[in-house]
Amino acid sequence: MTHNGPVLGSTRLTEEQLLLREAVRVLADERVAPRAAAIDREGTFPEDIRQLLAEHDVFAIPFAERHGGLGADLLTLILAIEQLSRACATTGLILAVQSLGAIPIQIAGTEEQQDRWLPGLASGEKLIAFALTEPDAGSDPSGIRTRAVRDGDDYVIDGGKRFISHASIADYVVVFAVTNPEAPKPSRRLSAILVETDRPGFKVARTEHKMGVRGSPTAELAFDRLRVPVANRLGEEGQGFAIAMQTFERSRPGIAAQAVGIAQGAVEAAAAYANQRKQFGRPIGELQMIQALLADMDASTEAARHLLYTACEEIEAGTADAARWAAIAKLVAGDTAMRVTTDAVQVFGGYGYIDEYPVERMMRDAKITQLYEGTQQIQRLIVARSLLSRS
Ligand SMILES: Cc1cc2nc3c(=O)[nH]c(=O)nc-3n(C[C@H](O)[C@H](O)[C@H](O)COP(=O)(O)OP(=O)(O)OC[C@H]3O[C@@H](n4cnc5c(N)ncnc54)[C@H](O)[C@@H]3O)c2cc1C
């Protein structure tokens, strides 16, 4: 294996990955960071940032060249999400959700379906959402009630979804609905169906008021005799659960990258503040208790990052244990982001608790990485199951 980049634990970045990371870092520092506080305060989707990402081909990263993408690997996508999230967690999530929604098409779509939908997603002209969760089906998708009933060449979908990122602004939503209620195994009851959001019967019931990632709209959806061609189904009937689980193997590293980026942003903000804030006649960065906080923050962020990069390499290489690697990366990165951002607020003292500085936003943003795409408890279940099945 030949690599040009500097050593990063057991991982080395290629020349292309280093260049892309640097380009996204500059974009994030110069164009995204100055908007982050306002995006959080206003709590509306930043259309200008979406345009910025489209103009700079950032949406193109996870798509194949034949669909207008850059044909990059998972680690390259992760580097971009990390750099964007370091400046603004909502912006990192724009890229992560676009990839989350596209993965079912990439892994289960026919060539015709991929040609139809992926180019618009790669250019950023179209947005997509991924709709699994329902009011009574969060950690346990077997509780999904949304029904898709076959009627000639169409499905008629009735039901609803809750907590769906970007669904109120998306052009497409991948909906997981029950098509085979009688299937003996709950995991064979669902199908994945791509719904164009301008179809009659598709309704955004409301959007949520949230603690963090406040520029990312989270929508409740209602489907009332929503008619969609059977040709919009991804994969076979009954494969929906498997498609969702395979999707998480490639999308959870994106949430881990968001977490590592948030943590890195907090480390940098805290170090800068510790150099400048004086108490007892000297910078607080000279106090050993502050130094210990900063050192632990830096070390744990670096550890989470290296684990994430290794997980990406394992998943990209086709390991049989992809679900475990994705879960480990998200578990460690999410918990790290929560701890590091909380400690960053501590370094800032009372100033950490007000919105004059970014660390209070980062602490609120970090919390979601422990919750969505499977809570930390669900990640632990996956890791434990994998471990026990091997021993
Ligand atoms: C901002 C935001 C954006 C989201 N975006 C999307 C999206 O785009 N698409 C989508 O489909 N969903 C999305 N979600 C939904 C998210 O994935 C769910 O909220 C999450 O999976 C948890 O489900 P729940 O909220 O119903 O919690 P519950 O499943 O009710 O869990 C409650 C508590 O019980 C614990 N628990 C549950 N089962 C177990 C178990 N077996 N063992 C141990 N502990 C357990 C959980 O860890 C948690 O602590 C989003 C949520 C939020 C808040």
Side-chain angles (χ1 to χ4, degrees):
M1 206 160 52
T2 55
H3 283 295
N4 309 321
V7 177
L8 280 167
S10 60
T11 312
R12 294 159 190 257
L13 299 184
T14 63
E15 199 61 46
E16 292 78 30
Q17 287 167 335
L18 286 168
L19 284 171
L20 185 129
R21 181 174 68 172
E22 182 58 10
V24 179
R25 187 191 66 75
V26 170
L27 195 68
D29 279 354
E30 293 181 357
R31 307 287 296 278
V32 178
R35 286 275 290 118
I39 291 170
D40 175 61
R41 199 167 44 244
E42 289 157 13
T44 49
F45 181 72
E47 191 55 44
D48 59 324
I49 298 290
R50 177 233 180 125
Q51 294 300 337
L52 183 76
L53 300 186
E55 281 162 21
H56 288 79
D57 274 347
V58 176
F59 282 113
I61 294 170
F63 295 93
E65 286 174 21
R66 76 185 176 93
H67 297 126
L70 299 186
D73 63 2
L74 180 60
L75 178 53
T76 307
L77 171 67
I78 260 49
L79 296 172
I81 296 173
E82 180 190 340
Q83 289 306 318
L84 294 173
S85 302
R86 186 178 138 264
C88 169
T90 286
T91 301
L93 192 56
I94 296 176
L95 184 55
V97 172
Q98 187 81 337
S99 171
L100 168 70
I103 294 169
I105 309 173
Q106 292 170 320
I107 61 179
T110 62
E111 204 161 312
E112 183 277 323
Q113 289 175 324
Q114 295 187 357
D115 292 345
R116 187 152 37 121
W117 294 313
L118 295 181
L121 298 177
S123 70
E125 188 197 327
K126 304 281 189 193
L127 293 181
I128 190 165
F130 175 98
L132 185 68
T133 305
E134 296 185 2
D136 294 324
S139 301
D140 179 12
S142 71
I144 287 179
R145 304 245 184 288
T146 294
R147 280 283 272 132
V149 177
R150 193 79 183 249
D151 181 25
D153 290 338
D154 292 339
Y155 284 111
V156 179
I157 305 179
D158 283 284
K161 295 285 172 182
R162 184 124 201 232
F163 292 150
I164 308 305
S165 301
H166 292 186
S168 54
I169 50 165
D171 301 277
Y172 313 128
V173 178
V174 177
V175 172
F176 293 85
V178 176
T179 48
N180 304 57
E182 310 304 336
K185 287 188 182 167
S187 60
R188 299 305 305 256
R189 288 179 195 157
L190 298 180
S191 297
I193 302 169
L194 187 140
V195 174
E196 294 92 346
T197 56
D198 56 2
R199 289 186 180 276
F202 179 96
K203 189 175 151 209
V204 176
R206 66 187 201 126
T207 54
E208 309 292 349
H209 181 263
K210 302 198 299 294
M211 175 192 288
V213 286
R214 287 174 35 77
S216 172
T218 310
E220 183 172 339
L221 302 176
F223 311 134
D224 180 16
R225 298 203 55 75
L226 168 62
R227 194 169 272 278
V228 183
V230 171
N232 279 25
R233 192 189 63 227
L234 301 167
E236 299 301 322
E237 270 197 357
Q239 281 187 344
F241 180 81
I243 291 170
M245 295 307 120
Q246 276 178 47
T247 298
F248 288 143
E249 291 174 5
R250 293 190 76 84
S251 68
R252 282 181 179 145
I255 302 308
Q258 184 188 34
V260 170
I262 295 169
Q264 183 63 37
V267 169
E268 290 172 22
Y273 189 77
N275 271 330
Q276 160 247 309
R277 172 72 174 170
K278 287 201 174 109
Q279 287 294 283
F280 299 97
R282 57 186 176 144
I284 60 167
E286 289 180 16
L287 304 170
Q288 286 190 353
M289 277 194 249
I290 294 292
Q291 290 180 353
L293 271 178
L294 291 172
D296 285 347
M297 290 161 64
D298 193 28
S300 54
T301 302
E302 201 69 77
R305 172 182 295 117
H306 286 225
L307 177 60
L308 169 60
Y309 292 0
T310 301
C312 290
E313 290 204 329
E314 292 286 339
I315 295 165
E316 194 68 61
T319 172
D321 227 1
R324 169 181 171 270
W325 279 107
I328 285 185
K330 181 185 177 286
L331 175 62
V332 171
D335 285 358
T336 299
M338 199 64 244
R339 202 171 48 248
V340 165
T341 54
T342 306
D343 286 348
V345 169
Q346 198 66 27
V347 170
F348 275 74
Y351 291 91
Y353 202 68
I354 61 173
D355 67 3
E356 192 175 330
Y357 291 98
V359 289
E360 65 86 32
R361 183 187 79 239
M362 292 167 171
M363 184 175 157
R364 288 185 285 106
D365 286 342
K367 185 63 204 173
I368 192 60
T369 68
Q370 296 183 304
L371 296 171
Y372 57 16
E373 293 204 25
T375 63
Q376 299 299 71
Q377 285 74 26
I378 296 304
Q379 309 309 321
R380 286 186 174 92
L381 277 184
I382 295 167
V383 176
R385 267 190 212 133
S386 165
L387 174 65
L388 293 169
S389 72
R390 277 180 284 129
S391 64

